[in-house]
Amino acid sequence: MLKWLNRLIDSNEKEIKKLRPLVAEINALEPEFKAKSNQEIRSLMGSFRSQLAEGEAELDDVLPEVFAAVREASLRTIGQRHYDVQLIGGMVLHEGKIAEMKTGEGKTLVATLSVSLNALAGEGVHVVTVNDYLAKRDTQWMGPIYDLLGLSVACIQHDATFLYDPTFVSDDPRMAHLRPISRREGYEADILYGTNSEFGFDYLRDNARDDISELSQRDLNYAIIDEVDNILIDEARTPLIISGPAEESADLYYQLAKLVPQLHREEDYTMDEKLRSVTLTESGIERLEKALNVPNLYDPEYYQLTHHVEAALKALVLYHRDKEYMVKDGEVIIVDEFTGRQMPGRRWSDGIHQAVEAKEGLKIQRETLTIATVTLQNYFRMYRKLAGMTGTAVTEAEEFNKIYKLDVVVIPTNKPMVRQDFTDLVYKTEMAKFQAVVEELEELHAQGRPVLVGTVTIEKSEVLSQLLKRRGVPHDILNAKFHEREASIVAQAGRLGAVTIATNMAGRGTDILLGGNPDAMSFEEAVRNGVDPEQQPEEYQTILEKIRVQCAADHEKVVQLGGLFIVGTERHESRRIDNQLRGRAGRQGDPGASRFYVSLEDEILRRFGGERIKGFMEWAGIEDDVPIENNLVAKSLENAQVKVEAMNFDFRKHLVDYDDVMNTHRATIYAERRKVLEGADLKANVVGMLNDEISGLVESHLQSRNSEEWDVDGLFLELSGLFPAPPDLTPENAALMTKDEVEEALLDYANDLYEAREQELGEELMRALERKVMIQIIDVLWIQHLTAMDDLRQWISLQAYAQTDPLVAYKREAFSMFQQFEENIQRTVARSILRVNVVRQPVSAPLVRHVQTNRGEGAGLLRAPGPQPVAAGRKVGRNDPCWCGSGKKYKRCHGA
């Protein structure tokens, strides 16, 4: 790891040095662009767009002029001029790399440089944020820059899409200049802001649509990911899933939720905290077999029961309320372990979620079948060019390089970093640690110095809140339970005397200004006084000016007190998360300080080496409330974090290795599905499947050179599933022909039937029928394939006991299963296309398929094209009106 970091530092210096001449070139252009009018700048951008489209220039050729234009547009519209280091950051993003920029260095503004340049190519740029609030905020904030440059910008939200339009007036001042548009229009914009899950789910939804006109996304061209470490590392293990309901009895979950608490740890089961796994002992197995009245819990006959038992045990032992999840409005809401944010709508798989619901005595939601899924790792690797921004990436540089082929470049700060990072204080017990934290907070609050306190879980944040209430220390608490107020609470954490408790990275992406954020404070003051900023701009300006004066005075006081103080109440398993917390202080050369309080009962120390330190403290006779401040202890903590980071990296790499197999299947089937929707070679494809199926049946039944050994009856039995019996070819006369003659006769007959059907239906209707049949068959079999692959993952690890690499075994089995899946598609299409009935579907009754995703959007709708023919409808009766609309009975029209 050390060698890797040394190489990174050397290459980083070379990279920065290489970009400096370009910065000088952009600076030299500044007077020229200052002299241009807004219209001249916009026209210049338009000419660059034309040159790029016609191949007369490359993006690198116009970079200096475009960056100079963006800098000038920014100064004119939002009053912010890009620093030289921000220009370097923009170049790094354009090169498809990760720019590590400290908190407060203006990552949002940096992105506008590379975004504007790449948007001129006309293929769309996606800017990925960590939540909907930031996607909307950044669209409104940066919108005027893009508008001056002649670029369109939109944002996708959980339930809506908006285009930035400076002429649009909204009734809600928070939605200023955001005009509602369709999802597809959003993706047609030059620039689109949104969260990783919105982009990922739109990709999955597009690949489950029934009509080409309903697709939203264009090709995945270029994405800049804000807080890239959070999205590509912390959330990488979370797959995006679109699922449909499957029948499952809830009784067993409730039964096991009552049963497993009767088991005793160590006697009936063991738990590995490092691996977060639970294993039944012989005693536990016997007790459960007796209670459930089964002879052998691990007999294949009881596979589902075993699965439920394991889920119930994990729910009891590994999943804790207000840590891994919270209960809200009768539902189990997952809490992100890294950000502390709620993830409504997401559900744990493998029955874990149902088991937790049973444990909490809640109504159990039905099990689901996966319709479509993709990991964030593989989704973002589909982009032609990918870049990212974050305050902390260097510690994960190796992972970014190995998994995403992304290099990390550390961008110098605009002003020197002056924050003080104190050595950790280590206490014997958790309660002693919290008492010490509360005393520190009480003292800092009395001084008027603002403090941001980081906690690892919701539960710990509320324990600390209760202790502060007893001491009478006013404070704001920010955890998953107050997600809606996240940004505004964090924005005010730098106010004089403010004490803010937050879980991990809550409020990430929001600047903490010393003395308070005048914009956020003035908006809240306006709301309190009933002043509408849009309708009463003069009154609002008065409020804003008054609060700006107050914030400026408070800023000086906070600076004199030493700036924002960061208190960490526990070390996270990743050093990067700790660095993110520290990084909230010391922005743009501001003073600040940080210190972590640690106890030997904290999870990270309990798992890795805490007993050794505890033994030393007891040997030395150190009291519970006396901390030790020792570099050896700090080193021990860092070593523990390095071990966990390495273990998590291996786990994520392992996940990628397995998901790469599934990704190959996904890419293949989605490409074929898209071809079907587009109608590319549709007839040739279907006829080819029909012919291949016939040839395959002939080959398998007429293998022998001796015709007396042929299975002619079996062949004709199989053929009856494809089409009616050929009138001129019977088993008797087939036995007198050669194999090639039989095959040729059957192929001719099938093709004649196909051509007759196409003539009967008409070419347009026949293509619609083929498209409908193929899409439905692909979708049904794809769901079955996903389920089978999921099952394969469940048991493949057992191959290790047979001295076989599970991944090698998985790849081998998966290849075989995908071949079978493709054969099933061919067989089913061949057996459907000449047999399926066609009925007219009324325009008023479109086919609707309900789906749900693993994030909080409930049921989505995927609609088939209403008036198109529907495959596999009810059989048309001879006296029914003919489907062609002639008004005649079927028997006298197409049934004649």
mmCIF file of all heavy atoms in Angstrom, residues 356-372:
data_model
loop_
_atom_site.group_PDB
_atom_site.id
_atom_site.type_symbol
_atom_site.label_atom_id
_atom_site.label_comp_id
_atom_site.label_asym_id
_atom_site.label_seq_id
_atom_site.Cartn_x
_atom_site.Cartn_y
_atom_site.Cartn_z
ATOM 1 N N VAL A 356 -36.697 -9.424 9.362
ATOM 2 C CA VAL A 356 -36.626 -8.258 10.253
ATOM 3 C C VAL A 356 -38.035 -7.726 10.528
ATOM 4 O O VAL A 356 -38.357 -7.343 11.663
ATOM 5 C CB VAL A 356 -35.730 -7.162 9.630
ATOM 6 C CG1 VAL A 356 -35.813 -5.870 10.438
ATOM 7 C CG2 VAL A 356 -34.285 -7.639 9.550
ATOM 8 N N GLU A 357 -38.887 -7.722 9.505
ATOM 9 C CA GLU A 357 -40.280 -7.288 9.706
ATOM 10 C C GLU A 357 -40.982 -8.182 10.721
ATOM 11 O O GLU A 357 -41.706 -7.700 11.601
ATOM 12 C CB GLU A 357 -41.022 -7.325 8.366
ATOM 13 C CG GLU A 357 -40.620 -6.204 7.414
ATOM 14 C CD GLU A 357 -41.143 -6.378 5.999
ATOM 15 O OE1 GLU A 357 -41.363 -7.532 5.576
ATOM 16 O OE2 GLU A 357 -41.313 -5.372 5.295
ATOM 17 N N ALA A 358 -40.754 -9.489 10.625
ATOM 18 C CA ALA A 358 -41.362 -10.432 11.574
ATOM 19 C C ALA A 358 -40.820 -10.199 12.976
ATOM 20 O O ALA A 358 -41.568 -10.221 13.963
ATOM 21 C CB ALA A 358 -41.086 -11.867 11.126
ATOM 22 N N LYS A 359 -39.522 -9.975 13.083
ATOM 23 C CA LYS A 359 -38.884 -9.724 14.379
ATOM 24 C C LYS A 359 -39.496 -8.500 15.064
ATOM 25 O O LYS A 359 -39.691 -8.479 16.278
ATOM 26 C CB LYS A 359 -37.382 -9.518 14.147
ATOM 27 C CG LYS A 359 -36.604 -8.953 15.308
ATOM 28 C CD LYS A 359 -35.157 -8.749 14.883
ATOM 29 C CE LYS A 359 -34.556 -7.546 15.530
ATOM 30 N NZ LYS A 359 -33.185 -7.290 15.090
ATOM 31 N N GLU A 360 -39.814 -7.452 14.243
ATOM 32 C CA GLU A 360 -40.380 -6.223 14.799
ATOM 33 C C GLU A 360 -41.901 -6.304 14.943
ATOM 34 O O GLU A 360 -42.535 -5.341 15.366
ATOM 35 C CB GLU A 360 -40.006 -5.028 13.910
ATOM 36 C CG GLU A 360 -38.522 -4.710 13.885
ATOM 37 C CD GLU A 360 -38.026 -4.135 15.202
ATOM 38 O OE1 GLU A 360 -38.877 -3.732 16.040
ATOM 39 O OE2 GLU A 360 -36.807 -4.086 15.415
ATOM 40 N N GLY A 361 -42.493 -7.450 14.539
ATOM 41 C CA GLY A 361 -43.934 -7.617 14.658
ATOM 42 C C GLY A 361 -44.727 -6.790 13.663
ATOM 43 O O GLY A 361 -45.881 -6.441 13.911
ATOM 44 N N LEU A 362 -44.115 -6.473 12.523
ATOM 45 C CA LEU A 362 -44.776 -5.661 11.500
ATOM 46 C C LEU A 362 -45.411 -6.545 10.439
ATOM 47 O O LEU A 362 -45.121 -7.738 10.352
ATOM 48 C CB LEU A 362 -43.758 -4.728 10.837
ATOM 49 C CG LEU A 362 -42.975 -3.808 11.783
ATOM 50 C CD1 LEU A 362 -41.879 -3.092 11.014
ATOM 51 C CD2 LEU A 362 -43.906 -2.801 12.443
ATOM 52 N N LYS A 363 -46.239 -5.922 9.600
ATOM 53 C CA LYS A 363 -46.817 -6.655 8.485
ATOM 54 C C LYS A 363 -45.702 -7.001 7.497
ATOM 55 O O LYS A 363 -44.893 -6.158 7.130
ATOM 56 C CB LYS A 363 -47.875 -5.799 7.775
ATOM 57 C CG LYS A 363 -48.535 -6.503 6.594
ATOM 58 C CD LYS A 363 -49.508 -5.587 5.876
ATOM 59 C CE LYS A 363 -50.100 -6.293 4.665
ATOM 60 N NZ LYS A 363 -50.994 -5.408 3.878
ATOM 61 N N ILE A 364 -45.671 -8.260 7.080
ATOM 62 C CA ILE A 364 -44.612 -8.719 6.177
ATOM 63 C C ILE A 364 -45.009 -8.451 4.734
ATOM 64 O O ILE A 364 -46.079 -8.851 4.280
ATOM 65 C CB ILE A 364 -44.323 -10.224 6.392
ATOM 66 C CG1 ILE A 364 -43.681 -10.419 7.766
ATOM 67 C CG2 ILE A 364 -43.413 -10.768 5.294
ATOM 68 C CD1 ILE A 364 -43.445 -11.857 8.125
ATOM 69 N N GLN A 365 -44.114 -7.746 4.042
ATOM 70 C CA GLN A 365 -44.334 -7.515 2.617
ATOM 71 C C GLN A 365 -43.993 -8.802 1.864
ATOM 72 O O GLN A 365 -43.135 -9.572 2.279
ATOM 73 C CB GLN A 365 -43.424 -6.382 2.111
ATOM 74 C CG GLN A 365 -43.580 -5.091 2.887
ATOM 75 C CD GLN A 365 -44.971 -4.505 2.793
ATOM 76 O OE1 GLN A 365 -45.574 -4.529 1.727
ATOM 77 N NE2 GLN A 365 -45.482 -3.997 3.905
ATOM 78 N N ARG A 366 -44.641 -9.007 0.740
ATOM 79 C CA ARG A 366 -44.407 -10.246 -0.010
ATOM 80 C C ARG A 366 -42.993 -10.326 -0.565
ATOM 81 O O ARG A 366 -42.380 -9.321 -0.880
ATOM 82 C CB ARG A 366 -45.404 -10.357 -1.165
ATOM 83 C CG ARG A 366 -46.789 -10.766 -0.722
ATOM 84 C CD ARG A 366 -47.616 -11.204 -1.912
ATOM 85 N NE ARG A 366 -47.830 -10.127 -2.869
ATOM 86 C CZ ARG A 366 -48.470 -10.290 -4.014
ATOM 87 N NH1 ARG A 366 -48.925 -11.485 -4.357
ATOM 88 N NH2 ARG A 366 -48.638 -9.289 -4.838
ATOM 89 N N GLU A 367 -42.495 -11.559 -0.691
ATOM 90 C CA GLU A 367 -41.225 -11.788 -1.380
ATOM 91 C C GLU A 367 -41.362 -11.307 -2.820
ATOM 92 O O GLU A 367 -42.469 -11.181 -3.351
ATOM 93 C CB GLU A 367 -40.903 -13.297 -1.395
ATOM 94 C CG GLU A 367 -40.528 -13.843 -0.028
ATOM 95 C CD GLU A 367 -39.035 -13.781 0.223
ATOM 96 O OE1 GLU A 367 -38.361 -12.944 -0.399
ATOM 97 O OE2 GLU A 367 -38.546 -14.557 1.043
ATOM 98 N N THR A 368 -40.240 -11.043 -3.450
ATOM 99 C CA THR A 368 -40.291 -10.540 -4.815
ATOM 100 C C THR A 368 -39.442 -11.371 -5.757
ATOM 101 O O THR A 368 -38.512 -12.054 -5.346
ATOM 102 C CB THR A 368 -39.779 -9.091 -4.862
ATOM 103 O OG1 THR A 368 -38.456 -9.056 -4.315
ATOM 104 C CG2 THR A 368 -40.668 -8.165 -4.079
ATOM 105 N N LEU A 369 -39.801 -11.295 -7.031
ATOM 106 C CA LEU A 369 -39.001 -11.890 -8.095
ATOM 107 C C LEU A 369 -38.242 -10.778 -8.794
ATOM 108 O O LEU A 369 -38.807 -9.738 -9.104
ATOM 109 C CB LEU A 369 -39.909 -12.577 -9.131
ATOM 110 C CG LEU A 369 -40.471 -13.952 -8.789
ATOM 111 C CD1 LEU A 369 -41.435 -14.374 -9.887
ATOM 112 C CD2 LEU A 369 -39.370 -14.987 -8.644
ATOM 113 N N THR A 370 -36.972 -10.987 -9.039
ATOM 114 C CA THR A 370 -36.169 -9.978 -9.722
ATOM 115 C C THR A 370 -36.516 -9.945 -11.209
ATOM 116 O O THR A 370 -36.463 -10.968 -11.882
ATOM 117 C CB THR A 370 -34.671 -10.274 -9.533
ATOM 118 O OG1 THR A 370 -34.370 -10.225 -8.139
ATOM 119 C CG2 THR A 370 -33.820 -9.253 -10.263
ATOM 120 N N ILE A 371 -36.879 -8.750 -11.692
ATOM 121 C CA ILE A 371 -37.181 -8.560 -13.113
ATOM 122 C C ILE A 371 -35.954 -8.016 -13.841
ATOM 123 O O ILE A 371 -35.657 -8.393 -14.960
ATOM 124 C CB ILE A 371 -38.381 -7.595 -13.283
ATOM 125 C CG1 ILE A 371 -39.660 -8.275 -12.776
ATOM 126 C CG2 ILE A 371 -38.551 -7.161 -14.730
ATOM 127 C CD1 ILE A 371 -40.859 -7.354 -12.700
ATOM 128 N N ALA A 372 -35.231 -7.117 -13.165
ATOM 129 C CA ALA A 372 -34.008 -6.561 -13.751
ATOM 130 C C ALA A 372 -33.115 -6.086 -12.622
ATOM 131 O O ALA A 372 -33.603 -5.613 -11.592
ATOM 132 C CB ALA A 372 -34.343 -5.400 -14.678
#
